[in-house]
Amino acid sequence: MFITVSDVIEYLFCPRFIFFMHCLNIPQREERYYKVLRGRELHESREKVNTSYVRKRLKCVRKEVSVYLTSRRYRIKGEVDEVLFLDDGTAAPMDYKYAEYSGVVHRTHRYQLALYGLLIMEHFEVPVNRGYICYTRSNHHVEEVIFRQKDYDAAIDTVNEILRTVQYGYYPEGTKQKARCVDCTYRNICD
Ligand code: SF4
């Protein structure tokens, strides 16, 4: 069984999403709409991120777009918006967010990038010690995230928690941030 990088994002938002989606097979309402919207935004955003900016400022010598990767070792899979190959021999994931940059990179986004980093390292056999997020609603601001071993370890621990939840059918605690429950698809069946 493989966990998707999207599953990890959902899990960090509220661990119970995974139980409802994968143990009870109840899909999220917005999923399909979200995917269509995201595809459209991504296409437009990529065109706006100046190619010479990526090449010069990030010292990128080559890139691959929409790269779908799986890892048997970590049991994860996901599609990386862009894999940048840098002039120091390392590679880095670039992820586009339809969001404003608030001054900090959210934990969810950091984990997501770290998982992409693990996938890239395994597949391309190059070191990955940083990643980038492009915030499309802040004039395509690009923020760099440096990865430490603890970032990779925390991301892998989360994947293992999700695998345990799904395999053993655990009913996890819901999010402590109750404001998230207000618009939640599952609020009628969640106690
Ligand atoms: S209602 Fe709240 S606790 Fe329950 S699944 Fe939704 S966000 Fe999580």
Side-chain angles (χ1 to χ4, degrees):
M1 174 181 186
F2 287 90
I3 293 298
T4 68
V5 175
S6 307
D7 286 336
V8 177
I9 297 169
E10 302 281 9
Y11 184 81
L12 291 170
F13 189 80
C14 176
R16 277 201 188 151
F17 279 11
I18 293 299
F19 179 84
F20 291 130
M21 284 193 296
H22 295 298
C23 298
L24 301 187
N25 289 321
I26 305 171
Q28 275 200 69
R29 254 192 337 248
E30 299 84 357
E31 202 175 35
R32 205 179 133 73
Y33 172 72
Y34 173 76
K35 276 185 185 154
V36 172
L37 196 69
R38 167 123 178 99
R40 211 180 292 150
E41 283 160 10
L42 190 56
H43 179 74
E44 288 170 8
S45 295
R46 272 197 191 127
E47 290 180 352
K48 284 188 192 135
V49 175
N50 189 312
T51 309
S52 71
Y53 169 86
V54 171
R55 203 173 53 228
K56 285 186 196 144
R57 173 140 180 252
L58 307 186
K59 300 196 168 116
C60 171
V61 291
R62 182 172 76 84
K63 71 175 181 181
E64 292 190 19
V65 299
S66 300
V67 187
Y68 189 82
L69 300 170
T70 59
S71 165
R72 285 191 182 281
R73 181 169 170 200
Y74 300 113
R75 298 168 75 191
I76 47 174
K77 61 183 178 181
E79 184 173 331
V80 190
D81 289 343
E82 290 181 354
V83 180
L84 310 180
F85 296 90
L86 309 176
D87 75 347
D88 62 0
T90 68
M94 167 86 101
D95 193 56
Y96 289 81
K97 295 282 175 219
Y98 183 64
E100 288 176 13
Y101 179 55
S102 64
V104 286
V105 175
H106 292 299
R107 180 180 71 127
T108 317
H109 297 164
R110 179 178 279 276
Y111 277 43
Q112 182 185 12
L113 271 190
L115 290 170
Y116 288 149
L118 289 169
L119 285 165
I120 293 167
M121 275 193 281
E122 186 170 329
H123 183 80
F124 292 100
E125 297 183 330
V126 287
V128 175
N129 51 31
R130 75 195 85 161
Y132 298 97
I133 300 180
C134 175
Y135 295 89
T136 62
R137 298 181 72 186
S138 286
N139 200 23
H140 292 78
H141 171 81
V142 175
E143 191 63 21
E144 183 178 72
V145 176
I146 301 292
F147 299 140
R148 310 272 177 235
Q149 188 57 44
K150 67 179 172 62
D151 295 313
Y152 287 130
D153 291 345
I156 292 166
D157 285 349
T158 307
V159 170
N160 289 333
E161 276 173 30
I162 297 171
L163 282 165
R164 277 196 296 276
T165 300
V166 176
Q167 281 170 338
Y168 300 111
Y170 288 142
Y171 188 52
E173 289 291 319
T175 177
K176 291 193 172 37
Q177 300 190 39
K178 291 299 165 198
R180 292 178 177 173
C181 304
V182 175
D183 295 322
C184 175
T185 306
Y186 301 116
R187 69 183 182 283
N188 292 335
I189 53 171
C190 182
D191 55 34

